[in-house]
Amino acid sequence: MIDPLAEIVTMLQPSLPFSKTASGSGHWRVDGAGDGSPFFAVILEGSTKLSINSQPDIRLEADDFVLIPAAYRFTMVSDDEPDDGEDPLRVTKIGDETRHGDPSGLPNMRVLIGRLAFGTPDTTLVFALLPCLLLIRGQARLTDLVRMIREEAKAERAAKSIVLERLLQLLLIEALRSDAAGLETPGLLRGLADKHLGPIIRLLHEAPSRTWTVDELASAATMSRSVFFDRFQKQTGMAPMEYLLSWRMALAKNMLRRRDGGIKEIAKRVGYGSASAFSVAFSKFTGIPPSQYGRQDDAVGVLEPQSD
């Protein structure tokens, strides 16, 4: 059976343009600014308080993993109380590690931080999966994966780019599925975690070209049409046919970018009886015709409701 989560993570083509190890000693503080790229941090030892995008502080401890799909402003601060004359913003380079606070003291926190990038311009795929902040505690597997990514990024080995891509895919999948049952915001993960809707979403991913109806999907979920429709919208944030359209367009965009078939063939593979019908639907969804999309680098996002 097709795994929608794995499909989407694979389509994102994640890469690691930046990562570093940092530590803190004594009383220290980091005020950072991001460009809206996805940001992750894994606490290797000790503890810290983290605030992202001016949200309330979150206390992080060893093996905690945090993933923020769009980081603009963040603050990390030590648990230690300030001492007179101590500069909490002091930064020192110790080997390949960045030290915050006291350069000669024992570290009270060590963290691996990194920024993710995606090979597809459809980066809103990840926003369909994630809340504004994903925090996972006590998952040693994630810590091990991040360490492997860090080591691979620093080394010069054969097939380095392929290994990094696979490790990053594993990291994202492991992070997402670790918290799937506890998400509080609507999205694909919450839908997949729903025992009635998860199988239906998998059906849509297995056969996106099929002419589905809400009645068929409701019957497969053993629910009434109205109850199914309301539940699907509440859990995923989209109506069932809206989700299907979004996934079809995501597939079509991916095929167009990769030059994987002509427009007529792609139309058939995503559920349209003719190239003209597909072109009309695609143009309405993205704002440009499919014949031009493959040449665009600033494509409109997918898997989000489209305004008329």
Side-chain angles (χ1 to χ4, degrees), residues 29 35 37 117 124 135 154 156 161 163 176 206 221 255 287 292 301:
R29 179 187 178 94
D35 60 0
S37 299
T124 47
L135 172 61
K154 292 170 62 178
E156 292 299 331
S161 62
V163 172
L176 293 171
E206 284 181 353
M255 286 184 273
Q292 295 180 17

Side-chain angles (χ1 to χ4, degrees), residues 3 19 28 87 90 98 102 105-106 110 141 153 159 178 187 191 207-208 211 221 239 300 303:
D3 185 339
S19 69
W28 54 269
D87 181 6
R90 183 176 183 179
T98 301
D102 184 359
L106 293 175
R110 181 168 280 114
R141 285 163 60 92
S178 294
T211 308
V300 177
L303 276 186

Side-chain angles (χ1 to χ4, degrees), residues 265-276:
E265 180 186 353
I266 292 173
K268 183 178 180 181
R269 288 161 67 180
V270 295
Y272 291 87
S274 68
S276 60

Side-chain angles (χ1 to χ4, degrees), residues 187-240:
L188 177 61
L189 282 182
R190 188 159 148 182
L192 288 172
D194 187 296
K195 65 179 181 180
H196 295 287
L197 300 183
I200 303 305
I201 294 173
R202 291 183 178 89
L203 280 177
L204 296 177
H205 279 249
E206 284 181 353
S209 63
R210 179 171 166 177
T211 308
W212 294 102
T213 67
V214 176
D215 288 335
E216 282 182 296
L217 297 174
S219 177
T222 63
M223 303 169 75
S224 72
R225 187 185 193 281
S226 60
V227 170
F228 169 75
F229 186 93
D230 291 343
R231 185 167 183 152
F232 196 100
Q233 190 156 33
K234 179 180 179 181
Q235 296 292 69
T236 68
M238 301 184 203

Side-chain angles (χ1 to χ4, degrees), residues 99-173:
R99 168 62 62 85
H100 299 276
D102 184 359
S104 59
L106 293 175
N108 52 29
M109 186 280 306
R110 181 168 280 114
V111 62
L112 177 60
I113 60 173
R115 188 175 72 246
L116 295 178
F118 300 102
T120 170
D122 294 330
T123 53
T124 47
L125 276 168
V126 78
F127 301 120
L129 297 175
L130 293 173
C132 60
L133 185 147
L134 181 65
L135 172 61
I136 301 165
R137 299 189 183 279
Q139 296 287 329
R141 285 163 60 92
L142 285 173
T143 307
D144 292 340
L145 277 170
V146 171
R147 283 175 173 152
M148 290 174 67
I149 289 168
R150 175 69 173 169
E151 291 171 3
E152 189 67 31
K154 292 170 62 178
E156 292 299 331
R157 298 172 180 164
K160 173 180 175 178
S161 62
I162 296 175
V163 172
L164 269 176
E165 181 181 353
R166 297 296 185 270
L167 286 173
L168 285 164
Q169 288 175 0
L170 285 172
L171 175 71
L172 281 178
I173 292 173

